[in-house]
């Protein structure tokens, strides 16, 4: 039979309750949950939060199909959890995956600005960000600024993710 679970975030832990029966489990210091058909990342202050922010800034998470989103989240979490990738290196990998390696500074600005703000930058705004990249700022550095921006945090519903976890495959 199908067993469903209710997940609730407490101040310092998570509670998992089976809807069939009375089984309840309290989890402390758990970052990943795996059910038969679904996985959740609970560390939104850690790797899961980083991956969610990158997805919002680079892949415009609201436009991704849920299956794509969970697949990309799984890839990002696997790379971050392996310890081989940092916020900076995963951001650059995501930019390269989305735009191709060595994308023009204008393409990077257009992508990040449009995904975070919700519309393309005007010419003056675009020129100012391109000038920052031309002046030595790395694309991943601009990506991190975009990913950490309040508008991106709202777009990805970071507050909701902190309460419900980040689904991935």
């Amino acid at each position: 039979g199908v067993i469903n679970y209710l997940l609730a975030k407490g101040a310092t832990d998570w509670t998992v309750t089976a809807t069939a029966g009375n089984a309840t489990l309290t989890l402390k210091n758990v970052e990943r949950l795996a059910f038969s058909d679904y996985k959740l990342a609970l560390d939104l202050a850690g790797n899961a939060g980083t991956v969610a922010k990158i997805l919002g800034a680079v892949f415009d998470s609201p436009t991704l199909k849920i299956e794509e989103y969970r697949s990309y989240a799984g890839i990002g979490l696997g790379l971050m959890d392996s310890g081989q990738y940092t916020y900076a290196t995963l951001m650059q990998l995501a930019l390269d995956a989305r735009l191709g390696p060595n994308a023009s500074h204008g393409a990077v600005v257009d992508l990040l600005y449009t995904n975070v703000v919700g519309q393309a930058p005007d010419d003056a705004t675009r020129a100012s960000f391109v000038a920052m990249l031309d002046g030595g700022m790395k694309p991943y550095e601009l990506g991190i600024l975009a990913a950490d921006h309040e508008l991106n945090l709202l777009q990805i519903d970071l507050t909701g993710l902190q309460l419900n976890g980040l689904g991935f495959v």
Side-chain angles (χ1 to χ4, degrees):
V2 174
I3 299 175
N4 292 312
Y5 298 90
L6 295 174
L7 188 63
K9 182 167 180 19
T12 60
D13 56 19
W14 290 79
T15 304
V16 181
T17 305
T19 55
N22 294 324
T24 298
L25 186 61
T26 300
L27 309 173
K28 291 186 183 297
N29 301 317
V30 172
E31 294 180 350
R32 307 284 176 266
L33 281 180
F35 299 97
S36 61
D37 61 344
Y38 194 70
K39 294 179 184 176
L40 279 175
L42 304 179
D43 58 327
L44 274 300
N47 289 350
T50 299
V51 169
K53 291 187 292 187
I54 291 172
L55 285 173
V58 177
F59 293 98
D60 190 17
S61 59
T63 66
L64 281 180
K65 292 192 191 103
I66 193 71
E67 300 82 20
E68 292 174 322
Y69 184 83
R70 289 182 182 157
S71 177
Y72 290 177
I75 292 167
L77 287 166
L79 294 172
M80 290 288 292
D81 290 349
S82 75
Q84 296 175 352
Y85 280 78
T86 63
Y87 196 172
T89 56
L90 188 61
M91 175 60 76
Q92 190 61 58
L93 182 69
L95 288 168
D96 290 347
R98 180 73 197 272
L99 296 172
N102 303 309
S104 74
H105 291 164
V108 172
V109 169
D110 289 346
L111 174 75
L112 294 170
Y113 192 94
T114 301
N115 285 348
V116 171
V117 178
Q119 64 186 33
D122 61 41
D123 290 343
T125 302
R126 184 180 197 269
S128 68
F129 282 115
V130 168
M132 291 167 65
L133 291 171
D134 289 346
M137 177 182 263
K138 303 289 184 212
Y140 71 81
E141 292 172 321
L142 184 60
I144 289 171
L145 288 175
D148 287 340
H149 194 282
E150 182 181 342
L151 290 173
N152 192 52
L153 302 184
L154 288 170
Q155 172 189 218
I156 64 170
D157 187 20
L158 187 62
T159 302
L161 291 174
Q162 288 168 336
L163 295 174
N164 300 303
L166 173 67
F168 70 99
V169 292

